[in-house]
Amino acid sequence: LRIFSCELVIGILITMEVLLFLFVFFLGASVGSFVNVLIDRLPRRQDFVLARSICESCKKKLSPWELVPIVSYLILRAKCRKCKKKIPARIFAVEAICGLSYSIILSLHFFGVIEFVNALYLLVMLPIFIGIIFTDFEFGIIPDEFILSLVGISSVYLVFFQYTAIVNHLISGIGILLGFLMIFVATSGRGMGFGDVKLSFALGLFLGFPYVLISLYLAFLTGATVAIILVLWGKKK
């Protein structure tokens, strides 16, 4: 009886953890759904608060069940229910990445790797970075709204929870900004866009020294790798 009771308790705990993991994943996917709205509308300067979601091909207004994160994409088989045009894979990718990010952060907090405040900080910041990645890749721009959000949230976090590191992070942001600005001026904007210059300050403020240098090294490395693949693939010149 004791063995059965222990197994029952363990089973209940595992079930609760799985349900919590799925809930957080769906929460992250829902945030990813909103990030997709921002990716679609910010570059076009469209309303992202009140305007209804539509199919970009036939302009049909989407019903609530067509907007369920991940689930709708799979049920509809990545096609509009009316015109049968393909739904961009980016929709699924952003929702899935946000969902997985939220689940991973929760797991790290659950196992004591990340404190609650830092976990909450990452839950707010990561979707913005994901939005920047996909907006830049699709439209070639980084909307100021994303960058201002990063700077604002980082500033609040530093003031209230990491005030001893404010100088480090501020100097890191300014230093990286000046470095990127020199590249921008020296190449007359051909080496990188000005959005990258503004983003560099947000990165410095977010990461501080020395982590911002590590991130920039990895960014240039992965950026070069992706660029080479795209050139060989014939997608970019």
Side-chain angles (χ1 to χ4, degrees), residues 18-185:
V18 171
L19 290 175
L20 179 60
F21 183 90
L22 291 175
F23 171 76
V24 173
F25 178 84
F26 184 76
L27 177 63
S30 300
V31 172
S33 180
F34 179 65
V35 171
N36 271 319
V37 172
L38 297 179
I39 293 171
D40 282 326
R41 299 183 187 180
L42 285 180
R44 301 185 177 105
R45 315 314 302 171
Q46 296 175 346
D47 177 26
F48 58 86
V49 178
L50 300 177
R52 288 277 303 275
S53 295
I54 62 173
C55 170
E56 293 295 332
S57 299
C58 65
K59 307 305 178 184
K60 169 189 174 294
K61 290 183 179 180
L62 303 180
S63 60
W65 79 266
E66 292 176 293
L67 297 171
V68 180
I70 295 181
V71 176
S72 295
Y73 186 91
L74 296 175
I75 291 177
L76 293 171
R77 297 182 180 181
K79 294 180 181 179
C80 172
R81 187 163 60 94
K82 181 180 179 181
C83 68
K84 305 302 179 184
K85 292 287 186 180
K86 194 169 183 63
I87 300 172
R90 182 253 301 165
I91 302 295
F92 178 84
V94 170
E95 292 175 351
I97 292 172
C98 282
L100 287 172
S101 298
Y102 268 48
S103 299
I104 291 171
I105 292 170
L106 172 71
S107 299
L108 292 174
H109 171 62
F110 181 80
F111 288 108
V113 179
I114 301 178
E115 295 180 358
F116 175 76
V117 171
N118 293 334
L120 186 61
Y121 182 44
L122 290 176
L123 290 177
V124 175
M125 295 290 276
L126 277 179
I128 302 175
F129 280 112
I130 293 169
I132 287 174
I133 291 169
F134 283 90
T135 306
D136 193 17
F137 186 80
E138 187 167 334
F139 295 96
I141 63 171
I142 303 175
D144 289 340
E145 289 85 350
F146 281 140
I147 296 174
L148 290 174
S149 297
L150 291 176
V151 172
I153 297 168
S154 293
S155 299
V156 171
Y157 174 79
L158 289 170
V159 169
F160 286 98
F161 301 106
Q162 292 287 339
Y163 59 91
T164 58
I166 290 178
V167 174
N168 178 325
H169 286 246
L170 188 59
I171 292 176
S172 297
I174 295 174
I176 297 299
L177 170 66
L178 293 176
F180 271 56
L181 184 60
M182 289 175 60
I183 297 174
F184 178 81
V185 173

Side-chain angles (χ1 to χ4, degrees), residues 1-10:
L1 184 59
R2 287 180 179 177
I3 295 175
F4 176 75
S5 298
C6 289
E7 290 178 347
L8 180 61
V9 171
I10 293 173

